[in-house]
Amino acid sequence: MEFLLSILVGLLFAAGVYLLLHRDFVKLVIGIVIIGNATALFIFVAGRIVRQNAPFIQENGLPPENFADPVPQALILTALVIGFGIQAFALIVFKKVYDIPKVDKIDDLKK
Amino acid sequence: MILSILSVFILAILVPTLHKITGNKIAYLLSLAPISIFIALFYYHLNGTTFPIRESWEWNSYFNLELAFYLDGLSLLFGLLISGIGFLIYIYAGFYMKNAKYNGRFFMILTLFMGAMLGLVLADNWLSILVFWELTSITSFLLIGHKNEKESARYAAWQGLLVTALGGLALLVGLVLTGIVTEEYTISNLSQHHELLTQHTLYIPILLCVAVAAFTKSAQFPFHFWLPNAMAAPTPVSAYLHSATMVKAGIYFFARFSPILGGTIEWQILLSSIGGITMIMGAIMAFKADNIKKLLAYSTISALGIMTMAFGLGTETAIFAGTVYIIAHALYKSTLFMMAGILDKQTGTKKISEFPVSLYKKLPLAFAIVCLAALSFAGIAPFFGFVAKELLLEMVLHSPMLSAVYVAAMLITSVFFVALLFVLTHKAFFKGFKKPALKNIHKGIYIAPAVTALTGLVFGLFPDVLSNLTSLASSNISPEFESKHLALWHGFNNAFYLSLISILLGASIYFLSLKVNWKLKLGFLKPLQPSKIYDFLFDGLITFGQWQTRKIQTGYLRNYAMVTLLVILVLTGFTFFYKAGIRINTESLDIYIFELILGLIVLIALGFTLFTSSNISALLSLSVVGIAISIIFMEAGAPDLAITFFLIDALTITIFVLILHKLPKKMLRKKNFDRIRDGFIAVGTGLLVTLILFSITYNPLNSKLKEFYAENSYSAAKGKNMVNVILVDFRVLDTLGEICVLAIAALGVFALVNYTKNKKLD
């Protein structure tokens, strides 16, 4: 499964970078979101994948035989939440930027 | 020594405050500092103290750093000059700068400069030498640019700083290389490694670096051009810079490094040829100059050339002659500069051709002092300059090689020096063209130049008083030196005849130049002048800087992002292919149909997001991508991630939709070229990431953390969900930080939503 996911992460990064270099603001923010997602998946794949066996302790107090690594999952959870904070903030900032008269492209900000 | 240097610096810091209290008398107050140092050094000298004296404060022995000062004959000579002339300069400046603007600042920097200069000649550790070296560059920059409202002063200050800072860099390289070769960072110990250094393969680079440093400081060809411009400084500064400090620092370095790097054929050729070129060029340029300060500046360059040549030749006579000439030059040059300042004040012009008629009648005192100094300058008995000149001629007559060339060069220089004597006395005081309109100034201003001029005469009549000092200094330059005695009269020898010839020729050249107005046709050399090259480089640097800033700082977000991405791509890509290479783990090829379909859904949704021109459909397809990813998390044993991801994806899309109606409807498209370029960057990044992941997952991961959490999460933290336990127990501080970030973001969003300009106006 790592093979498939590696390709998927590559695709997500490519799409994210392409959008990040866009002149249009909506696409730019979408690019940021996609790159965030891709990074999360990257860490996840790098931590190896174990299908379906979640890192839960069984009823008898012992771990299951082969389970997914909890460390990258914990890392990604933190990253996702912080990423959400950034996305929300970026969206509001850009919205405020468009409230400025005469600004309707990102490039106008340079003037 | 540490105490005296430190006290100078502390005094310098106090100057502005003292200036408020004492006003114009500040100069006399400050002059107490150099005179007490002078007396202290003189006391050392007379008392028969055994030199060298060394004081050091350990700082960091691992890096060979210490604050060390070293007083031997050479340092003593320079220290006496700096403090002695410094004292007179303060007295002179007290009159000259009376009621001038920004006096507090001026005296502060002058004091700092003096402190730096004293530190430079006394410092013994390579780092302290470098620091003092740069301090003299910076303080002289401030002194030259003192009249900062004038463009020419600012230009000259820049030029001086850049040229001497270039030398500072060369010195840094030279000293570091020396340190690498010898592992010795104390200058006074370096002469023990003379053989090791001179036979090392790095000898030539070290020699070049040290020589370039000293050349820039001492205004040797081709770095001479900053010195004539440096006369933009107030006259007391010029007098001080030219006679005892700054430019002498380079000479000090040649003397100091003679026993360390000298004595080789490379040293002789480099120093004596550059010195020879500089002294002839300087003498001729001085003769052509009309501005009296410029004339003196060029003659300084010439005199420095003589000293460089002397230390380059490195014979016993040469070193002795060079040492004696340092003193002679300091005395007459400070006098002449101070007199130039006085004449400028009284006549209102610096141009000799604009001096009033028969000035000698109006200013007899000035005429007398100028005569005293100029006669010493031209090397005429019984002045101290004569003693030095005899020794110099002796030196070239007995030079180890190419004696005839050196004799010719020395003769040409002395001929022009004699001609300059007539310019300074006859042309300045007897010719004259304008009606006199003299301003009155306080007679006290004559004290300092009179003292230096008379000292020159006294030393000329009784040169033997300096024998000890100069012999001591020379023995520090050349270890085999046997002490010599100075005498005014050496008898009718070759040197004396040469001296006579130079006087005759000099006089005839001067009187010839009054009748015939010949000009050297050197116009074709103009673009090759070092100063023109400097201008070209300086302007080029600024133009290049502007161009580069325009290109790099475009102000467009996507350009910055692009540069960042390209750098990541190139650096990571290079390292990856160079160190790791492509590896694929074939075991990971087991793919279920269900997963493949998920992958395809992501692919289609991504493509739609990329190429749609409608905002809302881009958002919808983005949410499809998000949902597909969270299903992947679910499938891969991460239900917590799946839930969180789904939630966050939904929230982001919701916020997006909420503000979407406020954004412009029209979606901008990429230009075709941009599309291809960005496509390449995007595909490259994606490909690299995929390959890196392939490589990472090639070997199985053996995580000890996984076992640790499996064992401890239930027993230690009483939780069955390991991810949860990590977040709220084992790594709870991380989570706290995360909550803080989220809270700050929420506050920011809240503030931005509620902020409008209208509210502010209310």
Side-chain angles (χ1 to χ4, degrees):
Chain A
M1 194 179 179
E2 278 102 340
F3 182 78
L4 179 77
L5 282 185
S6 302
I7 295 175
L8 205 63
V9 172
L11 283 174
L12 282 170
F13 261 112
V17 165
Y18 187 79
L19 291 174
L20 191 69
L21 299 175
H22 215 288
R23 283 197 301 156
D24 187 80
F25 155 71
V26 176
K27 295 242 164 163
L28 172 76
V29 176
I30 293 178
I32 295 175
V33 173
I34 291 182
I35 288 184
N37 295 350
T39 314
L41 259 186
F42 183 96
I43 299 170
F44 192 61
V45 178
R48 306 299 187 278
I49 296 193
V50 176
R51 282 199 185 85
Q52 283 159 358
N53 256 350
F56 292 158
I57 308 282
Q58 289 164 334
E59 284 304 312
N60 56 11
L62 292 173
E65 203 145 287
N66 184 20
F67 58 94
D69 195 339
V71 181
Q73 293 192 21
L75 282 178
I76 294 166
L77 264 179
T78 312
L80 280 179
V81 175
I82 290 179
F84 168 69
I86 292 171
Q87 286 159 18
F89 190 73
L91 276 170
I92 300 297
V93 167
F94 276 112
K95 186 205 151 233
K96 281 287 159 188
V97 164
Y98 282 100
D99 287 350
I100 303 169
K102 287 183 191 169
V103 170
D104 41 48
K105 294 199 292 291
I106 305 178
D107 291 358
D108 290 342
L109 285 177
K110 203 193 153 193
K111 285 166 200 167
Chain B
M1 283 180 277
I2 292 179
L3 204 68
S4 56
I5 290 171
L6 204 66
S7 61
V8 172
F9 280 110
I10 291 172
L11 190 65
I13 294 165
L14 295 177
V15 165
T17 328
L18 287 175
H19 179 244
K20 274 185 200 141
I21 303 167
T22 56
N24 277 323
K25 296 203 172 57
I26 180 87
Y28 314 122
L29 189 69
L30 285 174
S31 70
L32 291 177
I35 194 66
S36 46
I37 292 173
F38 181 82
I39 290 169
L41 288 173
F42 201 62
Y43 180 75
Y44 273 136
H45 175 49
L46 283 190
N47 228 16
T49 320
T50 41
F51 289 108
I53 308 169
R54 193 169 190 278
E55 277 176 27
S56 76
W57 278 358
E58 186 87 344
W59 180 18
N60 184 332
S61 56
Y62 182 77
F63 290 113
N64 297 302
L65 294 180
E66 53 178 359
L67 191 60
F69 293 102
Y70 183 78
L71 183 68
D72 61 357
L74 186 61
S75 312
L76 181 73
L77 171 71
F78 275 91
L80 284 172
L81 277 181
I82 294 165
S83 53
I85 305 258
F87 166 69
L88 294 170
I89 292 291
Y90 275 109
I91 301 288
Y92 176 71
F95 292 102
Y96 189 86
M97 303 292 284
K98 204 171 194 175
N99 300 326
K101 269 185 196 168
Y102 309 118
N103 253 350
R105 190 179 73 189
F106 173 78
F107 282 111
M108 179 173 92
I109 301 168
L110 189 64
T111 314
L112 275 179
F113 176 69
M114 190 178 68
M117 208 53 221
L118 276 172
L120 180 64
V121 297
L122 290 174
D124 198 23
N125 186 270
W126 71 283
L127 189 73
S128 43
I129 282 210
L130 207 70
V131 168
F132 282 122
W133 176 280
E134 297 294 8
L135 258 181
T136 58
S137 293
I138 293 167
T139 43
S140 65
F141 164 76
L142 293 170
L143 286 174
I144 295 169
H146 179 69
K147 295 173 190 159
N148 55 14
E149 69 280 358
K150 278 190 186 166
E151 164 126 35
S152 60
R154 294 199 302 268
Y155 174 82
W158 254 119
Q159 207 177 38
L161 180 69
L162 286 178
V163 173
T164 49
L166 174 80
L169 286 179
L171 184 69
L172 174 65
V173 176
L175 288 176
V176 168
L177 284 179
T178 320
I180 289 171
V181 173
T182 59
E183 296 187 352
E184 178 66 72
Y185 294 90
T186 303
I187 304 299
S188 56
N189 290 345
L190 270 177
S191 52
Q192 295 163 9
H193 304 280
H194 177 251
E195 266 184 35
L196 172 70
L197 271 170
T198 47
Q199 280 159 18
H200 201 273
T201 42
L202 282 174
Y203 174 64
I204 297 288
I206 292 174
L207 174 63
L208 280 177
C209 286
V210 173
V212 164
F215 284 160
T216 54
K217 208 66 158 184
S218 285
Q220 296 295 293
F221 178 83
F223 304 108
H224 60 275
F225 51 87
W226 70 268
L227 193 58
N229 291 336
M231 60 167 199
T235 304
V237 175
S238 305
Y240 201 30
L241 276 186
H242 284 251
S243 61
T245 58
M246 190 72 178
V247 294
K248 289 283 168 74
I251 301 301
Y252 169 76
F253 256 71
F254 285 134
R256 182 55 84 202
F257 276 84
S258 274
I260 300 169
L261 297 172
T264 61
I265 193 83
E266 294 93 340
W267 168 278
Q268 281 182 347
I269 291 177
L270 182 69
L271 264 64
S272 55
S273 60
I274 294 287
I277 294 173
T278 311
M279 74 185 190
I280 297 176
M281 186 200 68
I284 296 175
M285 300 281 263
F287 187 61
K288 283 178 65 185
D290 185 32
N291 183 322
I292 187 162
K293 278 184 88 176
K294 210 161 204 164
L295 181 152
L296 292 173
Y298 277 117
S299 74
T300 303
I301 292 178
S302 181
L304 294 166
I306 295 175
M307 293 173 213
T308 307
M309 191 173 93
F311 291 121
L313 287 173
T315 57
E316 277 189 30
T317 340
I319 283 170
F320 195 55
T323 318
V324 172
Y325 194 55
I326 289 173
I327 303 174
H329 176 252
L331 289 174
Y332 75 69
K333 193 48 63 69
S334 53
T335 317
L336 286 176
F337 257 110
M338 289 192 267
M339 290 315 298
I342 292 172
L343 291 175
D344 176 26
K345 281 247 162 179
Q346 297 207 304
T347 62
T349 176
K350 291 191 187 89
K351 291 195 171 153
I352 296 174
S353 57
E354 288 174 7
F355 277 173
V357 185
S358 34
L359 202 55
Y360 70 101
K361 276 188 212 154
K362 304 276 187 284
L363 302 169
L365 187 57
F367 178 60
I369 294 174
V370 167
C371 270
L372 288 178
L375 285 169
S376 180
F377 168 49
I380 287 168
F383 294 91
F384 194 54
F386 174 73
V387 180
K389 189 181 171 186
E390 290 277 284
L391 281 170
L392 287 170
L393 288 168
E394 196 79 24
M395 153 188 108
V396 289
L397 284 168
H398 297 110
S399 65
M401 47 176 195
L402 296 171
S403 188
V405 178
Y406 291 124
V407 171
M410 196 68 225
L411 193 63
I412 295 173
T413 313
S414 356
V415 165
F416 277 101
F417 275 18
V418 173
L420 285 173
L421 157 73
F422 287 103
V423 174
L424 285 172
T425 50
H426 183 257
K427 191 174 179 186
F429 286 90
F430 288 90
K431 299 290 284 184
F433 305 90
K434 275 192 175 175
K435 291 264 167 191
L438 295 178
K439 286 184 201 116
N440 272 329
I441 48 171
H442 197 283
K443 286 280 180 278
I445 200 167
Y446 284 105
I447 295 172
V451 169
T452 46
L454 287 173
T455 316
L457 179 61
V458 170
F459 283 163
L461 291 171
F462 310 103
D464 207 30
V465 292
L466 284 173
S467 295
N468 269 340
L469 182 61
T470 46
S471 296
L472 191 63
S474 305
S475 67
N476 292 127
I477 302 171
S478 163
E480 295 101 40
F481 188 84
E482 284 167 28
S483 55
K484 291 186 184 209
H485 281 275
L486 284 167
L488 182 62
W489 182 246
H490 288 265
F492 293 100
N493 52 13
N494 287 341
F496 180 72
Y497 296 129
L498 278 177
S499 201
L500 273 185
I501 295 173
S502 68
I503 292 171
L504 286 176
L505 281 177
S508 46
I509 282 189
Y510 169 70
F511 287 106
L512 210 67
S513 76
L514 286 182
K515 297 206 175 93
V516 191
N517 191 11
W518 33 262
K519 273 183 188 162
L520 286 173
K521 284 185 181 157
L522 289 171
F524 67 96
L525 274 177
K526 274 227 160 123
L528 287 176
Q529 269 175 0
S531 57
K532 289 277 184 294
I533 295 173
Y534 164 84
D535 284 341
F536 174 76
L537 286 177
F538 190 75
D539 294 343
L541 189 71
I542 288 172
T543 320
F544 175 74
Q546 284 168 343
W547 171 83
Q548 174 202 285
T549 311
R550 262 201 316 276
K551 285 286 161 193
I552 295 177
Q553 302 291 338
T554 50
Y556 294 117
L557 177 66
R558 59 177 180 284
N559 286 358
Y560 296 120
M562 191 163 70
V563 172
T564 314
L565 282 168
L566 278 175
V567 170
I568 292 173
L569 204 57
V570 170
L571 291 184
T572 321
F574 175 75
T575 320
F576 175 68
F577 287 113
Y578 185 67
K579 297 251 162 141
I582 302 167
R583 290 177 298 185
I584 298 176
N585 187 357
T586 42
E587 277 174 32
S588 66
L589 276 170
D590 59 324
I591 300 163
Y592 300 162
I593 297 291
F594 159 67
E595 292 163 0
L596 203 61
I597 294 171
L598 260 182
L600 278 177
I601 291 174
V602 174
L603 186 64
I604 295 166
L606 263 186
F608 201 71
T609 318
L610 275 183
F611 299 112
T612 181
S613 55
S614 146
N615 282 338
I616 198 85
S617 48
L619 280 183
L620 285 178
S621 53
L622 179 68
S623 71
V624 172
V625 173
I627 292 166
I629 292 176
S630 53
I631 295 174
I632 290 171
F633 279 137
M634 195 74 205
E635 164 72 5
D640 301 280
L641 277 185
I643 297 166
T644 319
F645 198 86
F646 188 80
L647 191 69
I648 281 173
D649 193 55
L651 272 175
T652 310
I653 302 290
T654 315
I655 298 176
F656 223 137
V657 172
L658 278 177
I659 66 162
L660 200 59
H661 68 281
K662 296 241 179 171
L663 301 177
K665 299 283 177 298
K666 211 176 81 190
M667 182 165 269
L668 295 165
R669 302 194 139 271
K670 286 196 183 205
K671 288 176 199 147
N672 278 338
F673 171 73
D674 291 1
R675 225 176 257 200
I676 296 166
R677 185 194 56 198
D678 296 351
F680 268 108
I681 298 174
V683 170
T685 315
L687 201 64
L688 186 66
V689 169
T690 303
L691 289 177
I692 287 175
L693 268 183
F694 281 160
S695 219
I696 289 175
T697 52
Y698 183 73
N699 291 320
L701 182 76
N702 192 8
S703 167
K704 294 220 172 92
L705 277 176
K706 194 171 161 182
E707 287 163 31
F708 170 82
Y709 286 121
E711 277 169 28
N712 290 304
S713 61
Y714 190 63
S715 55
K718 310 288 173 223
K720 285 188 174 169
N721 183 344
M722 289 183 221
V723 177
N724 218 334
V725 168
I726 293 175
L727 285 176
V728 300
D729 200 309
F730 289 113
R731 316 266 331 145
V732 70
L733 276 178
D734 286 358
T735 312
L736 185 67
E738 170 199 332
I739 292 170
C740 289
V741 171
L742 205 63
I744 292 166
L747 273 177
V749 169
F750 179 76
L752 279 172
V753 167
N754 285 311
Y755 166 81
T756 53
K757 277 198 172 158
N758 296 337
K759 268 190 191 167
K760 219 180 178 185
L761 285 175
D762 294 341

